[in-house]
Amino acid sequence: MKKITVSGLKYRYPLTEELALKGLSFEIEKGEFIGIIGQNLSGKSTLCQALMGLVPHFYKGGYGGSVWVDGLEVGKAEIHEIAQKVGLVFQNPFTQVSGSKMTVFEELAFGLENLGVAREDMAPRIEHAMELLGIGRFRDRNPFDLSGGQMQRMAIASVIAMEPEIIVLDEPTSQLDPQGAEDVFQAIEALSRRGMTVIMAEHKIEKIARYSDRVLLLHQGEMVAFDTPQQVFSRDDLERYGVVPPVFAQVCKGMGIRNPATGLYPMTLDEACDQVVNWHE
Amino acid sequence: MKALSLYQDRGTVVHRVDSRSKLLYILSAILIPAVLPGFMPGLAMLALSILILATGKVFGKVLPLVGFSLLILASIVLIQGLFYSGNKQLLFSLWRFGFYREGLLFSGGICLRVMNILCAVSILVLTTRPSDLIESLVRLGLSPHLGYVLSSVLQIIPQMTATMETITDAQRSRGMETEGTLLVRMKAFLPLIGPVVMNSLVSTRERSLALEVRAFSARSKKTFLNPPQGGTANTVIPLVLLLAMAAAIVWRVMQ
Ligand SMILES: Nc1ncnc2c1ncn2[C@@H]1O[C@H](COP(=O)(O)OP(=O)(O)OP(=O)(O)O)[C@@H](O)[C@H]1O
Ligand SMILES: [Mg+2]
């Protein structure tokens, strides 16, 4: 089942000349884990926000083409309608705290209150979200007293409590320390395993190679590739797009180790290990 | 976390009374002594407020506020006692200054009124979580957007101060002089304020994006996580206060 259908999506920010998105078309299936990569200013954040409707509704500007999520046309719907289907998590955990709530539990209720969810339904949804993200023990803490990683997991949980079917994450770990980042990745992986459609823009190529089903490579607002990590990271022209392939792919490329079945370079440690063992035999 | 609020979490009965009752109490503490003649109603009200503050275990927190306002009130007593236009009956004189009965009574009334308001407001401010207070105002019809602004300001301002401190530390560790003469500090201030302003502008946009994601601009009727504070006390207290105010007004009109 197609969860997201983007066709001919073009977008230009107000007061700018150049298009930030130059006619993107692709489809995403339910339950897929999609990685969005590309060098700085290639349009990753803009694409993420277009899936949620912040582009164009929040920024205005020039918009063309269409984005359908779960039967809703983003360009014509309102952000709060889309918010029930798509959740968006930003880089900075700090600015995602609403700032009007005194405890983590209440913070998670913020979106539900806005949607007008009945009081009886709130607690189970919040409990469930807290459990998925492993933040139950912070329920009575002040949101601002959490560490970066905890705060980011709270931001994800706040979105999950709204029960979207798709979650879009824009570099969710770029401001976290390694441990905080790892916690967040594990939490997202768990969501993905539960069948949630995950779309993540990320510079950490190793993680993308490991977790994504497919990788979307953007360059100056255009889609260069949309394929499995093996296919995308085995391309010879990655350097031109400012993308450094995962370290295992680089090493295997240097040594000429390919997966004989596909002719592609291994992407992860496990895959590389298998190939090296085979190669020696 | 430092929060911009005087709330004291002591978990007493007074804390459990809802903010609507406390708001009504403030109104009564102003209205009843104003309507009824003489000092007695004001003194009684003040005694009641002090009793409530003590029950809420926050009396100690009021003293600095009282101390500060006494400074101002003392000057009012002094000036009115000496120069009140209705002064006739000399009470006593200090050195060459005569203090008059009318002026002292008049300023005494002002002091009593100020103390009453101060204590009644303190009950609300010291024993109610700011977010509960604002939530009940929203329930009473305050716009949810304004409610959000009020409650977030209380938390976000201390956060901005913290950002300012972090940036100051960063600049100082890079060798910038941030202490010393006024000129030195002025010079340090400009490059310091740049990142702070940029930082807060960027985070304001990010926060408004994040609020949109949480359906903040949904036009449907909002709901509340916390049930409205019900219970007999929270219906009886407003009722008693309203009756007391009505009785005071009726009595005054009948006179
Ligand atoms: N608010 C804005 N107003 C105007 N132009 C913008 C705005 N945000 C982004 N752009 C422009 O849109 C283009 C794409 O930017 P975008 O932020 O989507 O890139 P990105 O891939 O997310 O970059 P990064 O890796 O740095 O996060 C850039 O040319 C950028 O200058
Ligand atoms: Mg970005």
Side-chain angles (χ1 to χ4, degrees), chain A residues 54 58-59 78-80 83 88 90 92 94-102 105-107 109-117 119 122 142 144-145 158 162, chain B residues 1 129-132 135 139 148 151-152 155-156 159 203 205-228:
Chain A
L54 293 172
F58 183 86
Y59 295 96
E78 296 201 48
I79 296 177
H80 61 90
L88 179 55
F90 298 90
N92 185 346
F94 179 72
T95 52
Q96 297 174 76
V97 180
S98 75
S100 69
K101 300 294 184 179
M102 309 278 279
F105 194 87
E106 290 175 333
E107 175 69 22
F110 182 78
L112 304 183
E113 293 180 330
N114 291 335
L115 288 177
V117 171
R119 177 177 306 120
M122 286 188 193
N142 185 301
F144 285 112
D145 287 340
S158 311
M162 294 167 77
Chain B
M1 194 199 71
R129 284 198 329 160
S131 59
D132 288 349
E135 196 171 294
R139 273 184 227 270
Y148 170 79
S151 51
S152 62
Q155 292 217 54
I156 290 169
Q159 287 301 324
S203 44
R205 198 194 64 185
E206 284 181 9
R207 184 162 275 120
S208 45
L209 285 170
L211 287 177
E212 289 298 322
V213 170
R214 311 274 289 281
F216 184 58
S217 51
R219 279 184 306 273
S220 55
K221 190 115 182 65
K222 287 187 202 301
T223 47
F224 298 94
L225 171 68
N226 302 315

Side-chain angles (χ1 to χ4, degrees), chain A residues 203-214:
Chain A
H203 280 292
K204 298 192 173 86
I205 289 296
E206 260 65 40
K207 302 280 188 196
I208 288 293
R210 189 162 129 214
Y211 293 117
S212 314
D213 298 313
R214 288 194 291 160

